[in-house]
Amino acid sequence: MPQPSRARVFISYKRHVGPDEPLARALHQVLSVHHDVFLDQTTPAGTRWGERIDTALREADFLLVLLSAESVRSEMVMAEVEKVYYRTRTQAGHPTLPPVRLAYGDPLPYPLSAYLNFIAAAFWSGPDDTPRLMAEILQVIAGTPLSTIMPSPSTSPQPA
């Protein structure tokens, strides 16, 4: 029986904030067992950082973008999503951009909203959700779309 191919996954997140960085590290640890996962913290010293990021983005099959109140304002997260979004438009939807909302239910700011609002998102409300999220991400990488859309953590109506 042939071995399934290893997907190339790029994790985009906001560094030095929680829950973003701890969850990114946990995802890296679990996904790396069966896939080639890029997390900026695994770049060796002396590497040309910008070139390494660009190469990893170009080679990615999946851009796993962690969306939190902090990351949606990150210029790096925005640039990574933008690069991959335009690449998907010229490569028939490849790579895949599965967004993960980290206890964040507010509307996405523009231009993230233009890039991600049409894509079903996974939701993570806290550490108890981590095993479920891991299973959902592995399912997406295996080619199965998310089977359920979890309600947004913040479902209160917005003032008009």
Side-chain angles (χ1 to χ4, degrees):
M1 183 171 201
Q3 291 289 334
S5 63
R6 291 176 67 88
R8 292 167 299 202
V9 181
F10 186 109
I11 300 176
S12 178
Y13 70 103
K14 175 71 174 158
R15 286 187 81 161
H16 308 300
V17 298
D20 308 49
E21 186 167 343
L23 186 57
R25 286 175 182 240
L27 285 165
H28 178 266
Q29 183 177 10
V30 168
L31 297 176
S32 292
V33 172
H34 298 289
H35 302 289
D36 298 323
V37 183
F38 179 86
L39 185 69
D40 60 359
Q41 297 179 8
T42 60
T43 302
T47 301
R48 292 189 172 183
W49 182 76
E51 291 175 18
R52 178 67 183 108
I53 297 281
D54 286 344
T55 299
L57 283 170
R58 272 194 312 276
E59 294 175 350
D61 298 309
F62 296 88
L63 173 66
L64 183 59
V65 59
L66 305 184
L67 301 169
S68 68
E70 296 290 329
S71 71
V72 299
R73 297 190 312 256
S74 165
E75 290 179 13
M76 282 302 296
V77 169
M78 177 70 67
E80 292 162 357
V81 169
E82 184 174 53
K83 284 178 184 181
V84 170
Y85 172 80
Y86 284 110
R87 202 174 123 215
T88 64
R89 295 178 56 95
T90 61
Q91 296 181 3
H94 184 80
T96 304
L97 286 94
V100 179
R101 287 179 168 257
L102 306 184
Y104 180 74
D106 292 346
L108 294 175
Y110 182 83
L112 274 179
S113 59
Y115 303 142
L116 299 174
N117 275 354
F118 63 95
I119 302 171
F123 289 92
W124 179 93
S125 296
D128 290 345
D129 284 344
T130 301
R132 176 194 48 78
L133 176 64
M134 299 285 187
E136 287 180 357
I137 297 303
L138 287 168
Q139 182 180 30
V140 168
I141 292 171
T144 305
L146 293 173
S147 58
T148 59
I149 303 299
M150 299 292 289
S152 172
S154 169
T155 55
S156 59
Q158 299 295 319

